Amino acid sequence: MDTTFTIGELESFLIALLVLFIGHSVNRHAPFLRKYNIPEPIVGGLIIATIITVLHFQNIHLQFSLSMQNTLMLMFFSSVGLAASYKLLMKGGAKVFLFLGVASVYIVIQNAVGVSLASALGLEPIMGLIAGSITLSGGHGTGAAWAQTFEQDYGIQTFEFAMAAATFGLVMGGIIGGPVAQRLINKNQLISSFGLGKKHHKSHPDLVTYDQLEEDRVTAKSILEVLFIMLLCVAGSQWTSHLVATFNLTWLKMPDFVYALFFGVVITNITEVSRGYKINRESVDVLGTVALALFLSMALMNLKLWEIFDLAIPLLIILMAQTIILGVFAYFVTFKVMGSNYDSAVMAGGHCGFGMGATPTAVMNMGALVSRTGPSPQAFMVVPIVGAFFIDIVNAIILQGYLSFIG
């Protein structure tokens, strides 16, 4: 007999915090996890997800009330926008398109690997696309959308495979990003141009570090002001999304978090040019870091690990091969093309995140890295912009090309 327990809002929020504390505690006592910067939300989230999976097989199901999850995600991306002054954009703008080129090349490789292995293992080539960029670079949402298309146009049921592959990618993307980047940093003796330590804001007050241990000089007033601005970005993104849907402005249709990032960029540059009000960057840093940690914690609480258990052996083989190939590509190609410096090492870790999972996973990887090895504001600007917006467009174009070839 199945039993379902619905966890209330407050209790679900407390469990989300508990996930972070568990991850922190385990990392503190496990040198291997700490050495390779495995993100705390991944560690704590997998522990909670394992417990939920055990209960699932005992016919006990937990449903969390996580209405704040999307708002927290939008708050984080608004903080990315608020940190992107026009000076920073001018300095690192070219890197966005360079990184987009690298990520686009990898999507072609990712699908080639998926289709080749699927054919070799006796599966439909379309299954290779499901275990390729559809779910790994696209995530759960893209996987669900394409599964519906495949069912309508090809009569192939792929939804369960898509969800399982996306879940597998989310976990593995969070696991491999830290070790790949840390290996690059250690081997090449790379250091952040801002140095190590936890007092960067004394010498660089406009720097946003996304380091949970950074010493921030904030006040209740500055926190409230920045919270208002971030929630304004969140509301603006939701209003824009609603208007786009209402008036069917398909050419403007983007994920909500892209709108939130855009509003942040506009607001921070208006205040910088007008000089009428200065946004407190340290408060942006604090609130952005908290929002990211809580959002990832909530996302991992909803991981359905049993979907991975349902994967056929051939699909597991394909996904393990995809994991290894992305790690190798990020290590040898992404790092070198992006400049072979500290920022490029952090970007390589981020590429592992959204190449196997999603943009928040990429940011989580980079956040774990910079907490130990120093800030990388360029990586936090380049990777989210490419992963949040441009890569979805490129992915759709490349997928259409593959479908016309194998169809």
Side-chain angles (χ1 to χ4, degrees):
M1 180 179 176
D2 285 0
T3 304
T4 301
F5 294 97
T6 301
I7 313 298
E9 288 280 352
L10 177 60
E11 292 78 8
S12 297
F13 194 83
L14 285 170
I15 293 171
L17 289 169
L18 183 63
V19 167
L20 295 175
F21 297 150
I22 290 173
H24 175 73
S25 179
V26 172
N27 276 17
R28 188 177 60 186
H29 293 95
F32 173 81
L33 297 176
R34 192 168 60 251
K35 177 181 178 181
Y36 289 104
N37 293 305
I38 306 300
E40 293 172 3
I42 281 283
V43 176
L46 284 176
I47 292 172
I48 295 295
T50 301
I51 294 171
I52 293 171
T53 301
V54 171
L55 293 174
H56 171 80
F57 287 115
Q58 299 299 318
N59 296 319
I60 298 172
H61 309 291
L62 301 181
Q63 290 185 352
F64 295 106
S65 303
L66 300 170
S67 61
M68 283 294 293
Q69 182 177 342
N70 189 59
T71 299
L72 289 165
M73 178 187 70
L74 296 177
M75 285 178 64
F76 165 70
F77 279 103
S78 70
S79 77
V80 174
L82 290 170
S85 69
Y86 70 91
K87 295 175 183 176
L88 182 62
L89 290 171
M90 289 176 64
K91 184 178 179 181
K95 291 280 188 178
V96 170
F97 296 100
L98 186 60
F99 188 66
L100 175 61
V102 172
S104 301
V105 168
Y106 183 71
I107 286 180
V108 176
I109 296 171
Q110 194 171 53
N111 285 324
V113 170
V115 170
S116 300
L117 286 178
S119 300
L121 294 167
L123 299 175
E124 289 279 350
I126 282 177
M127 288 298 189
L129 295 179
I130 289 289
S133 71
I134 286 178
T135 58
L136 301 183
S137 291
H140 287 82
T142 305
W146 278 97
Q148 186 176 359
T149 300
F150 289 149
E151 183 177 356
Q152 292 172 351
D153 297 349
Y154 298 89
I156 301 175
Q157 293 280 349
T158 61
F159 181 79
E160 290 77 11
F161 284 127
M163 294 302 99
T167 301
F168 181 93
L170 189 71
V171 174
M172 294 308 296
I175 289 174
I176 68 170
V180 166
Q182 192 64 57
R183 169 70 177 165
L184 286 168
I185 290 169
N186 293 344
K187 180 182 177 182
N188 297 283
Q189 298 180 327
L190 303 172
I191 58 172
S192 168
S193 59
F194 296 94
L196 297 175
K198 305 298 176 185
K199 299 180 179 180
H200 296 98
H201 289 148
K202 286 188 176 180
S203 54
H204 302 91
D206 289 340
L207 181 67
V208 177
T209 65
Y210 296 110
D211 182 351
Q212 295 184 33
L213 301 178
E214 179 70 39
E215 291 188 8
D216 296 296
R217 299 165 296 171
V218 300
T219 63
K221 181 175 180 292
S222 67
I223 286 286
L224 287 171
E225 289 174 350
V226 171
L227 181 61
F228 172 79
I229 295 170
M230 291 174 71
L231 291 178
L232 192 62
C233 294
V234 171
S237 69
Q238 293 175 338
W239 296 334
T240 304
S241 182
H242 177 71
L243 287 172
V244 168
T246 301
F247 294 101
N248 198 28
L249 304 173
T250 52
W251 58 279
L252 265 179
K253 187 171 178 57
M254 291 179 270
D256 284 4
F257 56 81
V258 178
Y259 298 134
L261 190 151
F262 175 75
F263 274 106
V265 171
V266 170
I267 290 173
T268 198
N269 284 287
I270 286 176
T271 58
E272 192 159 313
V273 171
S274 66
R275 299 184 180 180
Y277 171 76
K278 184 173 176 62
I279 296 175
N280 187 296
R281 306 289 182 187
E282 295 178 55
S283 296
V284 172
D285 202 344
V286 169
L287 289 171
T289 303
V290 169
L292 175 64
L294 285 171
F295 162 69
L296 290 169
S297 177
M298 291 178 180
L300 288 158
M301 284 164 60
N302 280 326
L303 272 182
K304 295 179 174 61
L305 290 181
W306 55 87
E307 290 181 343
I308 294 178
F309 302 150
D310 293 336
L311 275 174
I313 295 300
L315 265 146
L316 271 176
I317 293 172
I318 295 172
L319 291 170
M320 285 305 299
Q322 295 281 28
T323 304
I324 294 168
I325 291 169
L326 175 57
V328 172
F329 185 90
Y331 188 90
F332 288 104
V333 180
T334 306
F335 174 67
K336 285 185 169 57
V337 173
M338 295 310 297
S340 299
N341 54 21
Y342 175 74
D343 289 324
S344 63
V346 177
M347 289 182 210
H351 193 186
C352 290
F354 83 75
M356 283 296 292
T359 303
T361 312
V363 176
M364 175 179 65
N365 286 350
M366 297 190 299
L369 279 163
V370 300
S371 293
R372 290 193 62 206
T373 55
S376 176
Q378 187 177 86
F380 273 90
M381 184 194 71
V382 170
V383 174
I385 289 176
V386 172
F389 174 50
F390 290 116
I391 204 64
D392 287 331
I393 298 172
V394 172
N395 194 13
I397 294 170
I398 292 173
L399 283 169
Q400 289 295 345
Y402 268 94
L403 284 172
S404 63
F405 177 72
I406 66 177

